[in-house]
């Protein structure tokens, strides 16, 4: 009988999480991450699961590519492009992130993925309609690639103008480069992102070339080690668009499919968490909600609208400040995690993040040598994390080290330490609330109608504070919240998608031509749709003259009038206005197929005898009824283990609910209810 075991492993900034599900039950594991060798943490998590039987699927979400971009690491990369295009990735779009700052850091200029000395041009030109004007010069391509190889370049990106219409020039150039320098990895823009907008396409291709050698080596090493345990298994990776793609781990080929285009893994981990939030939407039949995954380094925010995850607008697809032209879920990250370092600057201003204590040494309370206070240390100081808690089920909290770190950093003692820690938690909650407001209110969603799905090791500690700031309807805590991204892998669909550039006025397109365009896009899919796949079609439209487009779902490609009307409505919702009589330009179309994951659920528990405990807790409360100013107040909090809570149980705050992978804080004035499917729904008494 074939195995039905599925394993999901996600690498976080502090811990690496693993979940295994089968018809016989669920196993979980959490081990410290290894920033120097992340694959070792993956193997340790797999070992901790204690599985002997070969799994049917091995699902993995990785931050490897994300971290390489954020830390500007990777292979020495050259860039070969059309004459006149050498500095496109430097010039960009003349955007200044800080409009009025005379001096500011612009990533593609201050930290280019390919320095100018390794950017070369060759005679080549294709017109905007795809006609060849100047054939690519083979001799110059061979000369430039040989020179780059002699200078120690390890990867070369090739990006020609209008190659999304005519890719043959790039394919020829790639062949000549590999003949001249067979050890160099070559990446072409028509393979990575065959779409118009040369700046984004070129920048994405160069970054793909830069991260590919290390990404391919990591995946090959991981494949080899996993195959030592279970032979002939395929590694399945979470991509930035929220879908899963398989890599054949048995093959000796290093660069294949995702190993040729690893830039599509740039938001692998957060995308997995997004799928878990979408699953919560289905479980509660809540069409609109916001997910908050607070890990060790950052907080990831995702919004579910109409029961689905959505892709980010083209202009917002950025990682580390670099605009990447890849399919990417509408995710937003801020540097506020449990391990975020906190301090006051020379002007007395309090800061939380963006720098983090990471996995090593971690927060001071871990006892691994960390001396700077973090958000986790603040939670320890005020009592949200009792000293009896075992972080990750194995790490004892050293509360005295947290107090010492705050006392030293803020030059205070006694209740001054308490005040500083409460200020840190309040600022953390405010920063997260502001980021959520940008993704909801600014897009026409009323916070009063939204539930907050809080997860990650630190998310449930600050969730109620965030919800109170935004006046959200309720907080939902899923089972095993600290493993959200790992179990999100297990509920994610298999997915493939393809994009086609159109750039025509919709009024000039005939119904038959529109149908043919979608059929052409389907032929570009990298893999034929399996039995049972669900199909999705979308079109990106804009008013003629606009710089960016709005994407709409397409049911009938031949109904062009319906598409136009749908676009007007979508534009009205997104920007607050529409221009019904203006010409509409059809920019791109996108097709995809999805195969939903098999359903499963965490087993509900409860009924086990476990005595509750009380301990001191500090909270910020209004000085008087209706007052805006809040002052520190001490109270007694009840501590209980979540495994002992039966469906239907009601808990009035203040309560501390303990789990192996997370700690949940229910403040004064809030009430938590255990649902029949094991979730916690937390509401304010006044709502």
């Amino acid at each position: 009988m074939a195995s039905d075991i599925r394993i999901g492993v996600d690498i976080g900034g502090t811990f690496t999480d693993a979940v295994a599900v089968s018809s016989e039950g669920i196993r979980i594991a959490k081990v410290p991450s290894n920033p120097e060798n992340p694959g070792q943490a993956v193997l340790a998590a797999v070992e901790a699961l204690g599985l002997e039987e070969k799994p049917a699927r091995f699902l993995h979400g990785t931050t490897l590519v994300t971290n390489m971009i954020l830390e500007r690491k990777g292979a020495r990369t050259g860039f070969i492009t059309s004459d006149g295009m050498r500095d496109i990735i430097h010039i960009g779009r003349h955007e200044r992130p800080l409009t009025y700052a005379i001096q500011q850091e612009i990533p593609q200029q201050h930290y280019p993925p390919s320095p100018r000395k390794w950017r070369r041009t060759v005679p080549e030109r294709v017109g905007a309609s795809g006609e060849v004007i100047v054939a690519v010069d083979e001799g110059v391509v061979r000369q430039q690639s040989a020179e780059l190889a002699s200078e120690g370049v390890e990867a070369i990106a090739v990006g020609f103008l209008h190659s999304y219409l005519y890719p043959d020039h790039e394919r020829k150039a790639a062949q000549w480069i590999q003949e001249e320098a067979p050890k160099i990895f070559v990446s072409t823009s028509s393979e990575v992102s065959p779409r118009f907008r040369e700046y984004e396409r070129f920048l994405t291709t160069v970054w793909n070339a830069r991260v590919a050698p290390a990404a391919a080596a990591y995946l090959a090493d991981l494949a080899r080690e996993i195959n030592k345990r279970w032979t002939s298994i395929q590694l399945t990776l979470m991509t930035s668009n929220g879908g899963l793609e398989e890599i054949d781990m048995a093959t000796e080929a290093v660069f294949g499919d995702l190993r040729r285009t690893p830039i599509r893994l740039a938001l692998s981990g957060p995308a997995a968490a997004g799928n878990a939030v979408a699953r919560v939407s289905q479980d509660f039949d809540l069409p609109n909600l916001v997910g908050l995954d607070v890990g060790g380094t950052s907080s990831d925010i995702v919004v579910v609208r109409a029961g689905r995850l959505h892709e980010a607008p083209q202009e917002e697809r950025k990682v580390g400040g670099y605009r990447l032209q890849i399919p990417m879920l509408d995710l937003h990250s801020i540097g506020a995690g449990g391990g975020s370092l906190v301090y006051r600057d020379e002007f007395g201003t309090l800061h939380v993040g963006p720098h983090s204590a990471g996995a090593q040494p971690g927060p001071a309370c871990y006892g691994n040598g960390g001396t700077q206070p973090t958000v986790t240390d603040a939670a320890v100081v005020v009592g949200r994390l009792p000293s009896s808690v075992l972080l990750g089920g194995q790490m004892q909290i050293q509360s005295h080290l947290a107090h010492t770190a705050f006392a030293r950093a803020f030059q205070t003692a006694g209740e001054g330490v308490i005040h500083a820690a409460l200020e840190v938690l309040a600022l953390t909650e405010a920063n997260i609330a502001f980021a959520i407001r940008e993704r909801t209110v600014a897009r026409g969603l009323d916070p009063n109608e939204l539930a907050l799905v809080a997860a990650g090791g630190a998310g449930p500690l600050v969730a109620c504070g965030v919800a109170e700031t935004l006046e959200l309807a309720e907080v939902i805590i899923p089972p095993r919240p600290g493993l959200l991204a790992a179990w999100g892998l297990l509920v994610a669909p298999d997915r493939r998608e393809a994009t086609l550039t159109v750039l025509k006025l919709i009024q000039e397109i005939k119904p038959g031509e529109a149908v043919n365009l979608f059929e052409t896009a389907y032929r570009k899919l990298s893999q034929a749709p399996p039995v049972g796949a669900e199909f999705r079609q979308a079109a990106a439209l804009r008013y003629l003259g606009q710089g960016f487009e709005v994407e709409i779902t397409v049911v009938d490609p031949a109904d062009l009038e319906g598409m136009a009307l749908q676009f007007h409505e979508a534009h009205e919702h997104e920007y607050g206005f529409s221009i019904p009589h203006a010409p509409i330009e059809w920019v791109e179309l996108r097709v995809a197929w999805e195969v939903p994951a098999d359903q499963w659920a965490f087993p509900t528990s409860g009924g086990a005898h476990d005595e509750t405990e009380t301990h001191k807790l500090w909270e910020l409360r209004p000085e008087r009824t209706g007052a805006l100013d809040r002052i520190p107040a001490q109270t007694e909090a009840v501590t209980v283990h979540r495994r002992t809570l039966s469906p239907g149980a009601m808990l009035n705050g203040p309560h501390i609910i303990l789990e192996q992978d997370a700690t949940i804080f229910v403040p004064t004035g809030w009430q938590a209810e255990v649902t029949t499917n094991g979730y916690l729904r937390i509401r304010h008494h006044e709502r």
Side-chain angles (χ1 to χ4, degrees), residues 233-261:
I233 191 172
Q234 288 185 315
L235 176 64
T236 303
L237 297 173
M238 169 60 60
T239 64
S240 299
N241 70 358
L244 296 168
E245 290 193 26
E246 287 186 340
I247 292 179
D248 187 355
M249 295 170 62
T251 180
E252 292 297 322
V254 175
F255 298 109
D257 197 13
L258 266 176
R259 280 171 286 183
R260 283 204 55 81
T261 57

Side-chain angles (χ1 to χ4, degrees), residues 86 147 214 223 254 270 488 544 592 605:
R86 181 181 186 183
E147 289 180 2
V254 175
L544 185 63
S605 57

Side-chain angles (χ1 to χ4, degrees), residues 638 640 645 648-653 655-657 666 670-674 680 682 685:
V638 179
V640 63
L645 301 177
M650 306 288 285
L651 304 176
N652 291 316
H655 254 83
I656 308 293
I657 304 173
V666 183
W670 292 73
Q671 184 181 66
E673 175 190 3
V674 183
L680 286 174
I682 310 175
H685 286 309

Side-chain angles (χ1 to χ4, degrees), residues 27 94 118 370 449 495 591 613 675:
R27 296 189 184 190
H94 285 295
W118 290 337
E449 300 175 357
R495 180 183 175 92
V591 298
E613 299 178 353
T675 67

